[in-house]
Amino acid sequence: MSRDDNSKNGGGPGEVGGAGVIDVHAHYVPNGWPRLGPGTPWLRIETERDAVIMLGDREFRRIRSDCWDAEVRLADMDADGVHAQVVSPTPVFFSYAADVAQATRIATVMNDLALEICAPAPGRLLPMCQVPLQDPDAACAELDRCMASGHVGVEIGNHVGDLDLDAEGIVTFLQHAASVGAPVFVHPWDMPSSPRLDRWMARWLVGMPAETHASVLAMILGGVFDRVPDRLRICFAHGGGSFAFWLGRMENAWHKRRDVIGTSRYPPSHYLGRFYVDSVVFDERALRLLVDTVGADRVVVGSDYPYPLGERPAGGVARKASFLDDDTRTRILSGNARAFLGRP
Ligand code: CO
């Protein structure tokens, strides 16, 4: 959206309708970190503005300085009318398969570098931490350390190996996050790989939405929402994946196959209102389904900045969606994010 478009909505640069957009889904990669041991990502610097995330000898992803340079990020946010951005880890650094000591060290180093990246713009660049989720005690300790040092919440991967979000240790971590008031952003990662899925970006286009759908399902059918307090604030990336589209199928299965459907006390629709989803679905029809399904107070702007499968400007579909009234639009662009982040 151009600045002219913004002014039509009554706001100046950085504002839409008098309240700047808050983007809860963006990523960072620092431009330097110490050697963290074999099997961990490293960065091959190409130029001042370009680098490659390397996994061993393999190129994982080419990145640019918007991943680490606050000045570049803030200029993009200003151009896009984004007031604040949650800056989260890039999931390849989660390191949930590493031993706990190594994963804790990686989390510590990355989390401290995230604070440095966000330091130039307090209140606009809001760092989220990562934790060694394979070990609940270490994960809770790192979350506490980060919340005390300026992080606004935690991003977690949607699974730890074969463990979903209903695994005992992860539920313990979610209960702890609820008790300390840390919002949790769930990001799909480590998608299944096969000759069929390794074509056409299918791991990103099919795998990621399915992974996120499976995670919402684990929270519901695994009985997690029955066990964690209402005050847990949890948000799923990419519109919650394919969840909203298939709610009816899950609802039908819950009623027709109670013998195998899992342990939730209530049917899936009962838990709508317990979680947020971001808005990065690229299509007004999909956004409308989301708002109708999960609730107008449960959709927040996410962009996936600065990666190419993200939405620029952040919240672009929500800003223009014809089905939204002004009040609902403002909630989606910023108010719901304030509620999710606990930042009035
Ligand atoms: Co993302």
Side-chain angles (χ1 to χ4, degrees):
M1 177 178 283
S2 72
R3 291 179 184 205
D4 284 339
D5 288 331
N6 277 335
S7 63
K8 276 180 209 153
N9 285 336
E15 294 186 336
V16 172
V21 169
I22 301 177
D23 175 2
V24 306
H25 180 178
H27 298 286
Y28 78 94
V29 177
N31 71 344
W33 59 85
R35 290 297 295 184
L36 293 168
T40 57
W42 59 283
L43 199 66
R44 193 177 75 209
I45 308 281
E46 308 267 280
T47 73
E48 204 172 290
R49 299 207 160 276
D50 297 271
V52 185
I53 301 173
M54 300 291 295
L55 294 176
D57 295 334
R58 185 167 69 84
E59 287 191 7
F60 173 74
R61 181 178 296 171
R62 303 192 78 82
I63 59 172
R64 295 180 59 79
S65 56
D66 45 17
C67 276
W68 63 76
D69 187 332
E71 205 174 306
V72 175
R73 189 179 291 265
L74 289 163
D76 284 344
M77 288 165 62
D78 287 342
D80 290 353
V82 174
H83 171 65
Q85 191 186 69
V86 173
V87 180
S88 284
T90 297
V92 69
F93 295 97
F94 285 153
S95 311
Y96 295 161
D99 72 63
V100 180
Q102 189 186 31
T104 301
R105 173 152 156 71
I106 292 169
T108 304
V109 168
M110 290 294 158
N111 291 334
D112 289 350
L113 288 168
L115 291 177
E116 283 180 29
I117 288 172
C118 294
R124 291 197 71 194
L125 301 180
L126 311 172
M128 267 199 180
C129 65
Q130 66 179 67
V131 294
L133 198 56
Q134 62 271 58
D135 183 300
D137 290 340
C140 292
E142 180 60 8
L143 177 62
D144 291 348
R145 189 188 76 85
C146 288
M147 293 302 286
S149 64
H151 287 265
V152 303
V154 57
E155 180 191 60
I156 64 172
N158 74 306
H159 66 99
V160 176
D162 286 332
L163 302 179
D164 282 303
L165 299 186
D166 60 325
E168 203 55 42
I170 299 177
V171 174
T172 299
F173 175 78
L174 294 174
Q175 286 167 333
H176 182 73
S179 73
V180 300
V184 179
F185 186 70
V186 182
H187 200 290
W189 83 303
D190 191 27
M191 298 79 77
S193 172
S194 78
R196 291 174 53 239
L197 289 168
D198 290 346
R199 314 186 289 167
W200 310 319
M201 299 193 78
R203 291 174 65 209
W204 279 260
L205 302 179
V206 179
M208 275 195 161
E211 284 288 331
T212 310
H213 183 167
S215 294
V216 185
L217 209 59
M219 292 290 293
I220 294 173
L221 298 181
V224 184
F225 282 125
D226 292 328
R227 297 170 59 196
V228 296
D230 279 352
R231 66 178 182 274
L232 174 70
R233 302 194 302 274
I234 189 166
C235 179
F236 294 88
H238 310 133
S242 38
F243 173 85
F245 196 80
W246 290 113
L247 176 61
R249 182 171 173 85
M250 291 177 277
E251 199 78 354
N252 179 63
W254 194 88
H255 288 287
K256 301 278 180 58
R257 291 304 310 270
R258 293 296 299 278
D259 53 327
V260 289
I261 196 65
T263 57
S264 71
R265 211 170 288 159
Y266 305 100
S269 59
H270 175 85
Y271 302 93
L272 298 169
R274 293 290 300 276
F275 59 92
Y276 295 85
V277 299
D278 76 22
S279 64
V280 60
V281 293
F282 300 94
D283 187 307
E284 182 171 329
R285 295 165 297 184
L287 184 66
R288 182 168 197 154
L289 175 70
L290 266 190
V291 171
D292 287 348
T293 304
V294 305
D297 58 345
R298 293 286 153 177
V299 179
V300 295
V301 167
S303 70
D304 237 334
Y305 178 95
Y307 295 131
L309 297 191
E311 182 186 50
R312 289 286 301 273
V317 172
R319 295 185 205 206
K320 292 179 175 163
S322 58
F323 70 93
L324 292 173
D325 60 46
D326 285 347
D327 175 58
T328 309
R329 193 187 319 277
T330 301
R331 277 190 282 160
I332 290 172
L333 294 179
S334 62
N336 295 342
R338 288 181 205 281
F340 167 61
L341 295 169
R343 300 173 71 87

